[in-house]
Amino acid sequence: MLKYHRLWVAAGWLLIGLVVYLSLVRNPPAPLTFENSDKLEHAFAYATLSFWFCHIYVTAWSRALVIIALVGMGVGLEYVQGWTGYRSFDVMDMLADSVGVLLGWILVLTPLGRLLAYVESRVAR
């Protein structure tokens, strides 16, 4: 278990809040401007969330719950966007979110999956 578990969880919830805000704001920033670039932004956002929370919750069961919850969040936010009247519902965004979640999970299985533990070991010095 990570020494600063509560800090990492709080930071993760801030990331979720940012994704929810950017998903529902009327005119979100668009750092990429090529056609369908929003799909890459969706995948990156959800890969980041998955990568972050799979660092914190390390058992297979808890990671499965993280993956299910994040995919559900992506699907749910798409429906909410469709209801806003100023954002649009897009099944391809749901797919991009889900691909991002899986990419984040895969990345945490690599040596990058020790990132938060490494940060903690450097801070403790």
Coordinates of all heavy atoms in Angstrom, one line a residue, residues 26-86:
R26 N -19.7 24.3 -21.5 CA -20.3 24.7 -22.8 C -19.2 24.7 -23.9 O -19.4 24.2 -25.0 CB -21.0 26.0 -22.7 CG -21.7 26.4 -23.9 CD -22.5 27.7 -23.8 NE -23.6 27.6 -22.8 CZ -24.8 27.1 -23.1 NH1 -25.1 26.8 -24.4 NH2 -25.8 27.0 -22.2
N27 N -18.1 25.4 -23.6 CA -17.0 25.5 -24.7 C -15.7 25.0 -24.1 O -14.9 25.8 -23.6 CB -16.9 26.9 -25.1 CG -18.1 27.4 -25.9 OD1 -18.6 26.7 -26.8 ND2 -18.6 28.5 -25.5
P28 N -15.5 23.7 -24.1 CA -14.2 23.2 -23.5 C -13.0 23.6 -24.3 O -13.1 23.8 -25.5 CB -14.4 21.7 -23.5 CG -15.3 21.4 -24.7 CD -16.2 22.6 -24.7
P29 N -11.8 23.7 -23.7 CA -10.6 24.0 -24.5 C -10.4 22.9 -25.5 O -10.7 21.7 -25.3 CB -9.5 24.1 -23.5 CG -10.1 23.4 -22.3 CD -11.6 23.5 -22.3
A30 N -9.8 23.2 -26.6 CA -9.5 22.3 -27.7 C -8.0 22.4 -28.0 O -7.7 23.1 -29.0 CB -10.4 22.5 -28.9
P31 N -7.2 21.7 -27.3 CA -5.7 21.8 -27.5 C -5.3 21.2 -28.9 O -4.3 21.6 -29.5 CB -5.1 21.0 -26.4 CG -6.2 20.2 -25.8 CD -7.5 20.8 -26.1
L32 N -6.1 20.2 -29.3 CA -5.8 19.6 -30.6 C -6.9 20.0 -31.6 O -8.1 20.1 -31.2 CB -5.8 18.1 -30.5 CG -4.8 17.5 -29.5 CD1 -4.9 16.0 -29.4 CD2 -3.3 17.9 -29.9
T33 N -6.6 20.3 -32.8 CA -7.6 20.9 -33.7 C -7.7 20.1 -35.0 O -8.4 20.6 -35.9 CB -7.2 22.4 -34.0 OG1 -5.9 22.4 -34.6 CG2 -7.3 23.2 -32.8
F34 N -7.2 18.9 -35.2 CA -7.4 18.2 -36.4 C -8.7 17.4 -36.3 O -9.3 17.3 -35.2 CB -6.2 17.3 -36.7 CG -5.9 16.3 -35.6 CD1 -6.4 15.1 -35.6 CD2 -4.9 16.7 -34.7 CE1 -6.1 14.2 -34.6 CE2 -4.6 15.8 -33.7 CZ -5.2 14.5 -33.6
E35 N -9.2 16.9 -37.4 CA -10.5 16.2 -37.5 C -10.5 15.0 -36.5 O -9.6 14.2 -36.5 CB -10.7 15.7 -38.9 CG -12.1 15.1 -39.0 CD -12.4 14.7 -40.5 OE1 -11.7 15.1 -41.4 OE2 -13.4 14.1 -40.7
N36 N -11.5 14.9 -35.7 CA -11.7 13.9 -34.7 C -10.6 13.8 -33.6 O -10.4 12.8 -33.0 CB -11.8 12.5 -35.4 CG -13.1 12.3 -36.2 OD1 -14.1 12.7 -35.7 ND2 -13.0 11.8 -37.4
S37 N -10.0 15.0 -33.4 CA -8.9 15.0 -32.4 C -9.5 14.8 -31.0 O -8.8 14.4 -30.1 CB -8.2 16.3 -32.5 OG -9.0 17.4 -32.2
D38 N -10.8 15.1 -30.9 CA -11.4 14.9 -29.5 C -11.4 13.5 -29.1 O -11.4 13.2 -27.9 CB -12.9 15.5 -29.5 CG -13.8 14.6 -30.4 OD1 -13.5 14.4 -31.6 OD2 -14.9 14.2 -29.9
K39 N -11.4 12.5 -30.1 CA -11.3 11.1 -29.7 C -9.9 10.8 -29.0 O -9.9 10.1 -28.0 CB -11.4 10.2 -30.9 CG -12.6 10.4 -31.8 CD -13.9 10.4 -31.0 CE -15.1 10.7 -31.9 NZ -15.7 12.0 -31.7
L40 N -8.9 11.4 -29.5 CA -7.6 11.3 -28.9 C -7.6 11.9 -27.5 O -7.0 11.4 -26.5 CB -6.5 11.9 -29.7 CG -5.1 11.7 -29.3 CD1 -4.7 10.3 -29.2 CD2 -4.1 12.5 -30.3
E41 N -8.3 13.1 -27.3 CA -8.4 13.7 -26.0 C -9.2 12.8 -25.0 O -8.8 12.7 -23.9 CB -9.0 15.1 -26.2 CG -8.2 16.1 -27.0 CD -8.9 17.3 -27.5 OE1 -10.1 17.4 -27.3 OE2 -8.2 18.2 -28.0
H42 N -10.2 12.2 -25.5 CA -11.0 11.3 -24.7 C -10.1 10.1 -24.2 O -10.1 9.8 -23.0 CB -12.2 10.8 -25.4 CG -13.4 11.7 -25.5 ND1 -14.5 11.5 -24.6 CD2 -13.7 12.8 -26.2 CE1 -15.4 12.5 -24.8 NE2 -14.9 13.3 -25.8
A43 N -9.5 9.5 -25.2 CA -8.6 8.4 -24.8 C -7.5 8.8 -23.8 O -7.3 8.0 -22.9 CB -8.0 7.8 -26.1
F44 N -6.9 9.9 -24.0 CA -5.9 10.4 -23.1 C -6.4 10.6 -21.7 O -5.8 10.2 -20.7 CB -5.2 11.6 -23.7 CG -4.1 12.1 -22.8 CD1 -2.9 11.5 -22.7 CD2 -4.4 13.2 -21.9 CE1 -1.9 12.0 -21.9 CE2 -3.4 13.7 -21.1 CZ -2.2 13.1 -21.0
A45 N -7.5 11.3 -21.6 CA -8.1 11.6 -20.3 C -8.5 10.3 -19.6 O -8.1 10.2 -18.4 CB -9.4 12.4 -20.5
Y46 N -9.1 9.4 -20.2 CA -9.5 8.1 -19.5 C -8.3 7.2 -19.3 O -8.3 6.4 -18.3 CB -10.6 7.5 -20.3 CG -11.9 8.1 -20.0 CD1 -12.3 9.3 -20.6 CD2 -12.8 7.7 -19.0 CE1 -13.5 10.0 -20.3 CE2 -13.9 8.3 -18.6 CZ -14.3 9.5 -19.3 OH -15.5 10.1 -19.0
A47 N -7.3 7.2 -20.2 CA -6.1 6.5 -19.9 C -5.4 7.0 -18.6 O -4.9 6.2 -17.8 CB -5.1 6.5 -21.1
T48 N -5.4 8.3 -18.5 CA -4.8 8.9 -17.3 C -5.5 8.5 -16.1 O -4.9 8.2 -15.1 CB -4.8 10.5 -17.5 OG1 -4.1 10.8 -18.6 CG2 -4.2 11.2 -16.2
L49 N -6.9 8.6 -16.1 CA -7.6 8.2 -14.9 C -7.4 6.7 -14.6 O -7.2 6.4 -13.4 CB -9.1 8.4 -15.2 CG -9.6 9.9 -15.3 CD1 -11.1 9.9 -15.7 CD2 -9.4 10.6 -14.0
S50 N -7.4 5.9 -15.6 CA -7.2 4.4 -15.3 C -5.8 4.2 -14.8 O -5.7 3.4 -13.8 CB -7.5 3.7 -16.6 OG -7.2 2.3 -16.5
F51 N -4.8 4.7 -15.4 CA -3.5 4.6 -15.0 C -3.3 5.0 -13.5 O -2.7 4.4 -12.7 CB -2.6 5.4 -15.9 CG -1.1 5.3 -15.7 CD1 -0.4 4.2 -15.9 CD2 -0.4 6.4 -15.2 CE1 1.0 4.1 -15.7 CE2 1.0 6.4 -14.9 CZ 1.6 5.2 -15.2
W52 N -3.9 6.2 -13.2 CA -3.8 6.7 -11.9 C -4.4 5.8 -10.8 O -3.8 5.4 -9.8 CB -4.4 8.1 -11.8 CG -4.2 8.8 -10.5 CD1 -5.0 8.9 -9.4 CD2 -3.0 9.6 -10.2 NE1 -4.4 9.6 -8.4 CE2 -3.2 10.1 -8.9 CE3 -1.9 9.9 -10.9 CZ2 -2.2 10.9 -8.3 CZ3 -0.9 10.7 -10.3 CH2 -1.1 11.2 -9.0
F53 N -5.7 5.5 -11.1 CA -6.4 4.7 -10.1 C -5.9 3.2 -10.0 O -6.0 2.6 -8.9 CB -7.9 4.7 -10.3 CG -8.5 6.0 -9.7 CD1 -8.8 7.1 -10.6 CD2 -8.7 6.2 -8.4 CE1 -9.3 8.2 -10.1 CE2 -9.3 7.3 -7.9 CZ -9.6 8.4 -8.7
C54 N -5.4 2.7 -11.1 CA -4.8 1.3 -11.0 C -3.5 1.3 -10.3 O -3.0 0.2 -9.9 CB -4.7 0.7 -12.4 SG -6.3 0.2 -13.1
H55 N -2.8 2.5 -10.1 CA -1.7 2.5 -9.2 C -2.1 2.4 -7.7 O -1.4 1.8 -6.9 CB -1.0 3.9 -9.3 CG 0.1 4.0 -10.3 ND1 -0.2 4.3 -11.6 CD2 1.4 3.9 -10.2 CE1 1.0 4.4 -12.3 NE2 1.9 4.1 -11.4
I56 N -3.2 3.0 -7.4 CA -3.7 3.0 -6.1 C -4.4 1.7 -5.7 O -4.2 1.2 -4.5 CB -4.7 4.2 -5.9 CG1 -4.0 5.5 -6.2 CG2 -5.3 4.3 -4.5 CD1 -4.9 6.7 -6.4
Y57 N -5.2 1.2 -6.5 CA -5.9 -0.1 -6.3 C -5.3 -1.2 -7.1 O -5.4 -1.2 -8.3 CB -7.4 0.1 -6.6 CG -8.0 1.3 -5.8 CD1 -8.3 2.5 -6.4 CD2 -8.2 1.1 -4.4 CE1 -8.8 3.5 -5.7 CE2 -8.8 2.2 -3.7 CZ -9.0 3.4 -4.3 OH -9.6 4.4 -3.6
V58 N -4.5 -2.0 -6.4 CA -3.6 -2.9 -7.1 C -4.1 -4.4 -7.2 O -3.5 -5.2 -8.0 CB -2.2 -2.9 -6.4 CG1 -1.6 -1.6 -6.5 CG2 -2.3 -3.4 -5.0
T59 N -5.1 -4.8 -6.5 CA -5.6 -6.1 -6.6 C -6.4 -6.3 -8.0 O -6.9 -5.3 -8.5 CB -6.5 -6.6 -5.5 OG1 -7.7 -5.8 -5.5 CG2 -5.8 -6.4 -4.1
A60 N -6.5 -7.5 -8.5 CA -7.2 -7.7 -9.7 C -8.7 -7.3 -9.6 O -9.2 -6.7 -10.5 CB -7.1 -9.2 -10.1
W61 N -9.3 -7.6 -8.5 CA -10.7 -7.2 -8.2 C -10.9 -5.7 -8.2 O -11.8 -5.2 -8.8 CB -11.2 -7.9 -6.9 CG -12.6 -7.5 -6.6 CD1 -13.0 -6.7 -5.5 CD2 -13.8 -7.9 -7.3 NE1 -14.3 -6.6 -5.5 CE2 -14.8 -7.3 -6.6 CE3 -14.0 -8.6 -8.4 CZ2 -16.2 -7.4 -7.0 CZ3 -15.4 -8.8 -8.8 CH2 -16.4 -8.2 -8.1
S62 N -10.0 -5.0 -7.5 CA -10.2 -3.6 -7.4 C -9.9 -2.9 -8.7 O -10.6 -1.9 -9.1 CB -9.3 -3.0 -6.3 OG -8.0 -3.2 -6.5
R63 N -9.0 -3.4 -9.5 CA -8.7 -2.8 -10.8 C -9.8 -3.1 -11.7 O -10.2 -2.3 -12.6 CB -7.4 -3.4 -11.4 CG -6.2 -2.7 -10.7 CD -4.9 -3.2 -11.3 NE -3.8 -2.5 -10.7 CZ -2.5 -2.8 -10.9 NH1 -2.2 -3.8 -11.7 NH2 -1.6 -2.0 -10.3
A64 N -10.5 -4.3 -11.6 CA -11.6 -4.5 -12.5 C -12.7 -3.5 -12.1 O -13.4 -3.0 -13.0 CB -12.1 -6.0 -12.2
L65 N -12.9 -3.3 -10.8 CA -13.9 -2.3 -10.5 C -13.6 -0.9 -11.0 O -14.5 -0.1 -11.4 CB -14.1 -2.2 -8.9 CG -14.7 -3.5 -8.3 CD1 -14.8 -3.4 -6.8 CD2 -16.2 -3.7 -8.8
V66 N -12.3 -0.5 -10.9 CA -11.9 0.8 -11.5 C -12.2 0.9 -13.0 O -12.8 1.8 -13.5 CB -10.4 1.0 -11.3 CG1 -9.8 2.1 -12.2 CG2 -10.1 1.3 -9.8
I67 N -11.9 -0.2 -13.7 CA -12.2 -0.2 -15.2 C -13.7 -0.1 -15.4 O -14.1 0.7 -16.3 CB -11.5 -1.5 -15.8 CG1 -10.0 -1.4 -15.8 CG2 -12.1 -1.7 -17.2 CD1 -9.3 -2.6 -16.0
I68 N -14.5 -0.9 -14.7 CA -15.9 -0.9 -14.9 C -16.5 0.5 -14.6 O -17.3 1.1 -15.3 CB -16.6 -2.0 -14.1 CG1 -16.2 -3.3 -14.6 CG2 -18.1 -1.7 -14.0 CD1 -16.6 -4.5 -13.7
A69 N -16.0 1.1 -13.5 CA -16.5 2.4 -13.1 C -16.1 3.5 -14.1 O -16.9 4.4 -14.4 CB -15.9 2.8 -11.7
L70 N -14.9 3.5 -14.6 CA -14.5 4.5 -15.6 C -15.2 4.4 -16.9 O -15.5 5.4 -17.5 CB -12.9 4.5 -15.7 CG -12.2 5.0 -14.5 CD1 -10.7 4.8 -14.7 CD2 -12.5 6.4 -14.2
V71 N -15.3 3.1 -17.4 CA -16.1 2.9 -18.6 C -17.5 3.4 -18.4 O -18.1 4.1 -19.2 CB -16.1 1.5 -19.1 CG1 -17.1 1.2 -20.2 CG2 -14.6 1.1 -19.5
G72 N -18.1 3.1 -17.2 CA -19.5 3.6 -16.9 C -19.5 5.1 -16.9 O -20.5 5.7 -17.3
M73 N -18.5 5.7 -16.3 CA -18.5 7.2 -16.2 C -18.5 7.7 -17.6 O -19.2 8.7 -17.9 CB -17.3 7.6 -15.4 CG -17.2 9.1 -15.3 SD -15.8 9.6 -14.2 CE -14.7 10.3 -15.5
G74 N -17.6 7.2 -18.5 CA -17.6 7.7 -19.9 C -18.9 7.5 -20.6 O -19.3 8.5 -21.3
V75 N -19.5 6.4 -20.5 CA -20.8 6.2 -21.1 C -21.9 7.1 -20.5 O -22.6 7.8 -21.2 CB -21.3 4.7 -20.9 CG1 -22.7 4.5 -21.4 CG2 -20.4 3.8 -21.7
G76 N -21.9 7.2 -19.2 CA -22.9 8.1 -18.5 C -22.7 9.6 -18.9 O -23.7 10.3 -19.2
L77 N -21.5 10.0 -19.0 CA -21.2 11.4 -19.4 C -21.7 11.7 -20.8 O -22.1 12.8 -21.1 CB -19.8 11.8 -19.1 CG -19.4 12.1 -17.7 CD1 -17.8 12.3 -17.6 CD2 -20.1 13.3 -17.2
E78 N -21.5 10.7 -21.7 CA -22.0 11.0 -23.0 C -23.5 11.2 -23.1 O -24.0 12.0 -23.8 CB -21.6 9.8 -23.9 CG -20.2 9.8 -24.4 CD -19.8 11.1 -25.1 OE1 -20.6 11.6 -26.0 OE2 -18.8 11.7 -24.8
Y79 N -24.2 10.4 -22.3 CA -25.7 10.6 -22.2 C -26.0 12.0 -21.6 O -26.9 12.7 -22.2 CB -26.4 9.5 -21.4 CG -26.6 8.2 -22.2 CD1 -25.7 7.2 -22.1 CD2 -27.7 8.1 -23.0 CE1 -25.9 6.0 -22.8 CE2 -27.9 7.0 -23.8 CZ -27.0 5.9 -23.7 OH -27.2 4.8 -24.4
V80 N -25.3 12.4 -20.6 CA -25.5 13.7 -20.0 C -25.2 14.8 -21.0 O -26.0 15.8 -21.1 CB -24.7 13.9 -18.7 CG1 -24.9 15.3 -18.1 CG2 -25.2 12.8 -17.6
Q81 N -24.2 14.6 -21.8 CA -23.8 15.6 -22.8 C -25.0 15.7 -23.8 O -25.3 16.9 -24.2 CB -22.6 15.2 -23.6 CG -21.3 15.5 -22.8 CD -20.1 15.1 -23.6 OE1 -20.1 14.4 -24.6 NE2 -18.9 15.6 -23.1
G82 N -25.6 14.6 -24.2 CA -26.7 14.7 -25.1 C -27.9 15.4 -24.5 O -28.7 16.0 -25.3
W83 N -28.0 15.4 -23.2 CA -29.2 16.0 -22.6 C -29.0 17.5 -22.4 O -29.9 18.2 -22.1 CB -29.5 15.4 -21.2 CG -29.9 13.9 -21.3 CD1 -30.5 13.3 -22.4 CD2 -29.7 12.9 -20.3 NE1 -30.7 12.0 -22.1 CE2 -30.2 11.7 -20.8 CE3 -29.1 12.9 -19.1 CZ2 -30.1 10.5 -20.1 CZ3 -29.0 11.7 -18.4 CH2 -29.6 10.5 -18.9
T84 N -27.7 18.0 -22.5 CA -27.5 19.4 -22.1 C -28.1 20.4 -23.1 O -28.3 21.5 -22.8 CB -25.9 19.7 -22.0 OG1 -25.4 19.4 -23.3 CG2 -25.3 18.8 -21.0
G85 N -28.2 20.0 -24.4 CA -28.7 20.9 -25.4 C -27.5 21.7 -26.1 O -27.7 22.3 -27.1
Y86 N -26.4 21.7 -25.5 CA -25.2 22.4 -26.1 C -24.0 21.5 -26.3 O -23.0 22.0 -26.9 CB -24.8 23.6 -25.2 CG -24.5 23.3 -23.8 CD1 -23.2 22.9 -23.4 CD2 -25.5 23.5 -22.8 CE1 -22.9 22.6 -22.1 CE2 -25.2 23.2 -21.5 CZ -23.9 22.7 -21.1 OH -23.6 22.5 -19.8

